[in-house]
Amino acid sequence: MGILTEDMKALVRDHTLGFMASVDADGTPNLSPKGTFAVIDDDSIGFGEMRSPGSVANIAARPVVELNFVDVFRRRGFRFKGPAEFVAADDARFPTLLGAFTNWQNLHDRFRGIVHVRVERALEVTSPAYDAGADETELVARFKAHFATLYP
């Protein structure tokens, strides 16, 4: 069994928008939203790279990243940390990795490569609302109602 639990895999699969933090050349964080995430195996997550030259350059120079996924309704999520590698579309490993991206078949021809992150540490993230006694059902109802007002 790998580091990724079924709950973690479901969050990545069902809430594909996540964020990747890498480190810029000046040592400052670079946070970048990514929308083509997939679970590659029990210990790794990746995304199809289409327009992320800065992230790819950061990974080449400083290959440790953090991925962050949050279910905005449940107010729960996960942080994943580990080394990352950019696997270009002309790399012999690319077709094998691409097999994990079945949800993104319509974008495969736009992938310049895949950023492959080997997860070494996974941490749960929860809202302080849980500390104050809120339960998940209440939070989901509250935030569904909130977003319904934003997008009627």
Side-chain angles (χ1 to χ4, degrees):
M1 181 170 178
I3 196 166
L4 299 175
T5 67
E6 290 306 314
D7 284 346
M8 293 172 183
K9 291 176 185 179
L11 184 62
V12 173
R13 181 188 62 242
D14 298 339
H15 300 269
T16 55
L17 179 62
F19 295 87
M20 184 191 76
S22 61
V23 181
D24 281 335
D26 64 1
T28 60
N30 177 53
L31 185 63
S32 184
K34 308 295 180 195
T36 56
F37 278 104
V39 173
I40 295 172
D41 59 38
D42 288 344
D43 294 304
S44 60
I45 298 170
F47 66 87
E49 192 282 320
M50 294 183 287
R51 310 188 321 184
S52 303
S55 295
V56 169
N58 286 347
I59 289 166
R62 291 159 300 283
V64 177
V65 302
E66 179 172 314
L67 307 177
N68 202 295
F69 295 86
V70 174
D71 179 326
V72 297
F73 295 103
R74 293 176 56 221
R75 304 312 246 202
R76 293 181 181 274
F78 296 99
R79 297 167 54 187
F80 304 106
K81 296 179 182 225
E85 177 186 17
F86 176 68
V87 179
D90 61 357
D91 187 298
R93 298 170 295 164
F94 180 80
T96 301
L97 292 173
L98 191 62
F101 291 82
T102 55
N103 287 350
W104 307 111
Q105 288 179 345
N106 62 322
L107 298 174
H108 284 185
D109 62 333
R110 294 182 54 203
F111 287 5
R112 295 188 296 205
I114 291 171
V115 172
H116 179 243
V117 180
R118 186 169 39 87
V119 178
E120 292 181 341
R121 189 165 64 171
L123 304 166
E124 186 174 19
V125 176
T126 59
S127 169
Y130 288 103
D131 300 339
D135 75 354
E136 188 171 291
T137 303
E138 172 191 338
L139 290 174
V140 168
R142 181 186 321 162
F143 288 101
K144 277 184 173 180
H146 170 72
F147 281 97
T149 67
L150 297 176
Y151 305 99

